[in-house]
Structure formats: C-alpha cells, structure tokens
Amino acid sequence: MGKKKIIGTILLILIGISSNILLVVVFQGFSHFNRIFYIVSIIVLCLIIDVIVWIMIKKSEKLVAIPLEIFRDRKLIARLAYNDFKQRFAGSFFGLFWAFVQPVVTIVVFWFVFEHGLNAGRQQMADGITVPFVLFLVSGLVPWFFFSDALSNGTNSLIAYNYLVKKVVFHISILPIVKVAASLFVHLFFLTFAIILFMAYGFYPDLHTLQVVYYSFALFVLVLGVSYLTCSVVVFFRDLTEIINIVLQVGMWATPIMWNIHALNPSPLTGFLIRLNPIYYIVSGYRDAFINKIWFWERPEVTIYFWMVTIVIGTVGFLTFRRLKIHFADVL
C-alpha cells in the first residue's frame, strides 16, 4: 500500500470517528423523543456512517477518478455548459429571454395567489415573518428553481448527449456537471433579481448576504451528487424521469418554501422529519442570508447533517456511475 493510500485511509478513519461523535452531539437536541428510539437511532446512524467510510476506503481510487476528470476538463466543462445554456432557446425568436421570464412569472403568480387570493401573506406575517411576503417567497423559490432545473437536466444529461456517450475518447463523466453548471446561469440571474427586489423594499445587502455563495455551492454539490446517481439509472429505467418530476412537484410543497414552518407549530417528530430534507437547510440558509442575518456556523447541527447527507449521496452517485458506465453506450 502506497504512502498516499495509507494517509487517505487514516484520514477517512478519523473522519468516521469524528462523524460519529458529531452525530451524537447533533442529536442531543432531539433527545426529548422516546429514549429507546433516540438510542437506537444514534446506533443505526453511526453504523451507517462507519459502513460508508469503509466503502470509501475500499473504493477510494474509484471515488477520486470522477473529481479528477472534472478538474482536468474544467475548461471544457465551462465551454460546454455555456453552449448548452445558449442552445436551449436557440430556435426561438426571443432566445435567452425565455430562460428568465418563466420563473419570474411563476413568482408573480404565486405571490398574487398567496398574498391577495388566499390572504396567506398577511396571516404568515402575523405568525412571525418580519419582511413582506414576496421577499419571504422569493428567498425560498430562488434555490428551489435551481435545484429543480439542475436535477431535471442533470438526470437526462446522458440521454441528451448520447452521441458523445458513444465516443470512445470522450470523458462522459463530465456530462452531468455540464448540465448542472448550465443551470447556474439562470440561478445567478435570479440571485441578482432577488437582491434588487430586497433593495427595492429597503433591505440592502450586507456581509450576511455573502452567504448565498456558500449556500449556492452547497446546493450545487448536492444536486450534482444526485444527478450522477439519477443519470446512471435513467439510462436503463426511463420512467425515472417522470418519477423525479412528481417528486419535485411534491417536494416544492413539502419543503417550507411558500409557508412558514414556525407558524404551523408542528409536533417534535413532524418538525424533525421536515428538517431531514437537505433542501430545507438550503432554503433556510438563503433566508438566513437575506432576512434573518444568521451565519451558517451558528446552526452547526443542521450544517453537519447536510454535509453528511451530501457526502453519502455523492459517494453513492459516483460509485453507481462508475459501475454502470461501461453499459451506457450499448443501451443508448
């Protein structure tokens, strides 16, 4: 075993030990549940972490292969992502205009329905929202639009670029990140749109607002890991695309984007289950950056949980992609 392999193994073991310790600390906040349930949950989750670390040690060479290819082809990825973004609307008269107008119209419709039609905006402001409802809504929809668009495009990346998959000399492992990166252009526009909207209401950016860079990066890593998994499976099971569309529809309403979780006053178990959704961390983070002015390290338990889940998803996604890679060209 080489020196780098030994060092990597030691680091992963230390990560596994520290993750188990951090997990116990994180779940201290949920110790008011049934004590047996709490202890069993800790043991099961610690075992899961240990198994994942063991897999990462055994598959370390395969795990780093895709990140190395991404780093090596980073300039090609940037060019392909930009071209992919332009070609989505290449045949239309207004071109890239349609990439931005649809989400804006969606925001306006949701705002009108909730604020004026259902009078939910005023009710939720009375229940703890300290800014106009449209700002609360936009700060939650901006990351969700990126997640939804990036996941849909990333899932179908191999199908969309099937002519490249069949080329022997092309690194097809960069295709999912090309699609996810292409969605960043619209996301950057909406971040700018959100900042301008907040300024129009008198809420000017400060140091806390810079956190959107961190949360955008965190969301990018999460959706990239999911995309590597889904794009590998959808080649063999095309129905996955429809399943993902349904999950995204349900997920938008299950995640506290257009409603305030604190206003519902959920039971401890219900609140715990809602917070298990990693997108909850991202949506709350955007609102912490724009509205609540809270740093991400002030919520260590959810930050640790999010990155643990993201690492697990990324590990499963990369390994699945590597495992099925040799069959893609035959099926497509």
Side-chain angles (χ1 to χ4, degrees), residues 66-67 69-70 73 76-78 80-81 84 88 146-147 149-162 164-165 170-184 219-235 314 317-318 320-322 325 328 332:
I66 293 179
E69 288 182 7
I70 291 174
D73 296 331
L76 175 61
I77 291 171
L80 289 175
D84 182 271
R88 291 187 194 180
F146 173 60
F147 176 76
D149 185 57
L151 180 58
S152 298
N153 292 320
T155 298
N156 295 300
S157 57
L158 297 180
I159 298 174
Y161 286 110
N162 63 81
L164 293 178
V165 175
F170 190 82
H171 293 155
I172 64 172
S173 57
I174 70 173
L175 294 179
I177 193 173
V178 167
K179 284 291 188 178
V180 174
S183 300
L184 270 177
L219 181 55
F220 183 90
V221 175
L222 172 65
V223 73
L224 185 63
V226 178
S227 295
Y228 271 98
L229 175 61
T230 55
C231 77
S232 304
V233 177
V234 78
V235 173
F318 284 174
T320 302
F321 189 93
R322 291 277 300 178
K325 181 179 177 180
F328 292 156
L332 293 172

Side-chain angles (χ1 to χ4, degrees), residues 115-132:
E115 180 78 12
H116 298 284
L118 301 178
N119 201 27
R122 294 184 179 86
Q123 180 60 41
Q124 293 211 37
M125 288 179 67
D127 291 329
I129 297 179
T130 58
V131 297

Side-chain angles (χ1 to χ4, degrees), residues 82-241:
Y82 180 67
N83 291 334
D84 182 271
F85 172 67
K86 290 197 304 181
Q87 289 176 1
R88 291 187 194 180
F89 308 93
S92 60
F93 181 78
F94 289 101
L96 298 179
F97 171 76
W98 297 114
F100 309 111
V101 68
Q102 182 178 355
V104 170
V105 171
T106 303
I107 290 174
V108 172
V109 170
F110 280 145
W111 168 75
F112 180 82
V113 170
F114 279 89
E115 180 78 12
H116 298 284
L118 301 178
N119 201 27
R122 294 184 179 86
Q123 180 60 41
Q124 293 211 37
M125 288 179 67
D127 291 329
I129 297 179
T130 58
V131 297
F133 181 70
V134 64
L135 301 183
F136 176 85
L137 182 64
V138 167
S139 58
L141 283 175
V142 167
W144 179 261
F145 282 150
F146 173 60
F147 176 76
S148 177
D149 185 57
L151 180 58
S152 298
N153 292 320
T155 298
N156 295 300
S157 57
L158 297 180
I159 298 174
Y161 286 110
N162 63 81
Y163 57 93
L164 293 178
V165 175
K166 298 175 183 179
K167 288 189 175 183
V168 179
V169 295
F170 190 82
H171 293 155
I172 64 172
S173 57
I174 70 173
L175 294 179
I177 193 173
V178 167
K179 284 291 188 178
V180 174
S183 300
L184 270 177
F185 292 102
V186 179
H187 182 60
L188 292 175
F189 165 79
F190 274 99
L191 276 179
T192 305
F193 171 78
I195 292 173
I196 293 174
L197 186 62
F198 270 82
M199 291 174 62
Y201 277 88
F203 298 88
Y204 295 95
D206 55 15
L207 287 177
H208 289 90
T209 310
L210 294 176
Q211 289 184 107
V212 296
V213 177
Y214 160 75
Y215 285 111
S216 296
F217 171 76
L219 181 55
F220 183 90
V221 175
L222 172 65
V223 73
L224 185 63
V226 178
S227 295
Y228 271 98
L229 175 61
T230 55
C231 77
S232 304
V233 177
V234 78
V235 173
F236 307 94
F237 182 61
R238 299 297 178 94
D239 292 348
L240 181 62
T241 301

